């Protein structure tokens, strides 16, 4: 991608991002669906790829099938569509972008990843400071006694819908369904992180529709740090960002880390 002067604009933005990150001590990374797109995943929120018509075989909108009220009314129906999503994601592996974030953490004093994704790929890549704001599709918990467990996938669940091994209560995945609140434990941890301040807010593959995502970007824009966006397309917060790297996460994040390492920023 070149502008009329023959200068590669994506390379310029990658160099700028590497320079800023190289001198940062506290970095907040916020990731969304675009982060996992390069792992070949359909995404939980971006269910359009799975349900083009927005309506399920059961005659309800996918947002309704995957909602908290539907789970209470008809858990088997919600489970049916969660299982389809889990099945489509099965076998997905962290991509070069997930791994590059782990490498980036070695170059700064503190790096925290906040993700909208429920696929567990940041955890699989080895990110330690991680807030999975919308939960993790591989973690199940009993709605009666609260006992939880983590499963590699849903292929070996003994019962369907799955039930608790301790009290036989119904289990559900530890993900935020439509019309449900974000988990208070994740929100509180996020607030503590924000209170510590950040030199750089790095948004990757998120459309920033949630206020909790847009707020730290606005804070950076008002002079409290540098906001960087990595996304092939523009988003509602692009105009607020100091640096925009227009490209896919799996290409851009490794390129930034490579520059940071080779140039010694
Ligand atoms: Zn139980």
């Amino acid at each position: 991608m070149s502008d009329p002067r023959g200068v590669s604009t994506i390379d310029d933005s990658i160099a700028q991002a590497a320079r800023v990150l190289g001198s940062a001590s506290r970095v907040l990374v916020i990731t969304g669906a675009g982060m996992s797109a390069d792992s070949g995943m359909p995404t939980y929120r971006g269910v359009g790829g799975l349900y083009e018509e927005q309506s399920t075989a059961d005659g309800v909108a996918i947002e309704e099938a995957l909602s908290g009220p539907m789970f209470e009314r008809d858990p088997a129906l919600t489970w049916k569509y969660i299982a389809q999503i889990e099945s489509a994601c099965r076998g997905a592996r962290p991509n070069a972008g997930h791994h590059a974030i782990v490498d980036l953490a070695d170059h700064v004093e503190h790096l925290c990843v906040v993700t909208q994704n429920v696929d567990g790929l940041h955890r699989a890549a080895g990110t330690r400071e991680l807030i999975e704001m919308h939960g993790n599709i591989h973690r199940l918990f009993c709605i009666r006694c609260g006992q939880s467990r983590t499963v590699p996938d849903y292929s070996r669940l003994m019962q369907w819908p799955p039930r608790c091994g301790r009290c036989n209560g119904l289990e559900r995945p530890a993900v935020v369904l439509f019309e449900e609140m974000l988990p208070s434990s994740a929100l509180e941890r996020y607030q503590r992180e924000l209170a510590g301040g950040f030199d750089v807010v790095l948004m990757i593959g998120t459309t920033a529709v949630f206020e909790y995502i847009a707020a730290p970007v606005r804070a950076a824009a008002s002079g409290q740090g540098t906001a960087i966006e990595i996304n092939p397309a523009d988003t509602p917060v692009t105009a607020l960002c100091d640096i925009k790297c227009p490209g896919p996460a799996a290409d851009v994040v490794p390129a930034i880390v490579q520059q940071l390492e080779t140039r010694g920023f």
Side-chain angles (χ1 to χ4, degrees):
M1 194 189 300
S2 299
D3 75 9
R5 294 163 298 172
V7 176
S8 171
T9 53
I10 176 77
D11 286 353
D12 285 352
S13 63
I14 285 169
Q16 282 176 26
R19 202 172 298 120
V20 168
L21 285 163
S23 59
S25 57
R26 286 179 57 88
V27 175
L28 174 65
V29 180
I30 304 172
T31 72
M35 185 81 231
S36 298
D38 296 307
S39 289
M41 316 264 294
T43 52
Y44 172 64
R45 285 277 167 186
V47 285
L50 281 178
Y51 298 99
E52 296 285 353
E53 305 303 320
Q54 292 293 301
S55 137
T56 66
D58 292 280
V60 295
I62 188 63
E63 289 83 358
E64 194 183 342
L66 290 173
S67 70
M70 181 61 83
F71 184 80
E72 281 180 25
R73 222 165 39 241
D74 188 353
L77 182 81
T78 303
W79 263 116
K80 176 179 167 183
Y81 291 97
I82 289 170
Q84 286 186 13
I85 291 169
E86 189 278 330
S87 168
C89 303
R90 201 172 293 167
R93 292 280 169 270
N95 63 52
H98 293 99
H99 293 300
I101 290 172
V102 177
D103 295 338
L104 179 60
D106 291 338
H107 294 275
V108 294
E109 192 182 304
H110 179 74
L111 181 145
C112 176
V113 176
V114 177
T115 188
Q116 294 172 258
N117 302 334
V118 298
D119 51 44
L121 292 180
H122 283 294
R123 191 175 296 276
T127 286
R128 286 184 298 276
E129 297 292 335
L130 175 65
I131 302 174
E132 293 174 311
M133 198 63 97
H134 295 259
N136 186 319
I137 201 165
H138 299 122
R139 199 166 62 247
L140 312 182
F141 70 92
C142 170
I143 61 171
R144 187 189 290 163
C145 78
Q147 170 147 294
S148 69
R149 59 174 170 152
T150 300
V151 296
D153 59 56
Y154 293 175
S155 66
R156 273 165 281 177
L157 294 175
M158 303 296 279
Q159 285 173 288
W160 195 259
R163 290 196 165 270
C164 174
R166 186 161 72 185
C167 79
N168 203 39
L170 183 68
E171 286 182 311
R172 61 164 284 175
V175 298
V176 179
L177 296 169
F178 287 98
E179 296 181 52
E180 288 185 328
M181 307 283 281
L182 292 171
S184 57
S185 56
L187 276 174
E188 283 163 17
R189 199 174 147 213
Y190 184 49
Q191 289 303 331
R192 281 200 302 276
E193 287 284 347
L194 291 179
F198 288 99
D199 308 309
V200 179
V201 177
L202 177 60
M203 292 212 319
I204 307 175
T206 169
T207 50
V209 289
F210 297 101
E211 174 56 22
Y212 75 84
I213 291 170
V217 178
R218 279 201 302 272
S222 67
Q224 296 169 42
T226 303
I228 303 172
E229 180 177 53
I230 298 172
N231 203 318
D234 280 352
T235 71
V237 295
T238 299
L240 293 175
C241 288
D242 303 285
I243 302 169
K244 167 75 189 229
C245 302
D251 295 342
V252 176
V253 189
I256 290 172
V257 174
Q258 196 192 6
Q259 287 233 355
L260 202 157
E261 288 174 346
T262 56
R263 297 196 180 185
F265 289 128

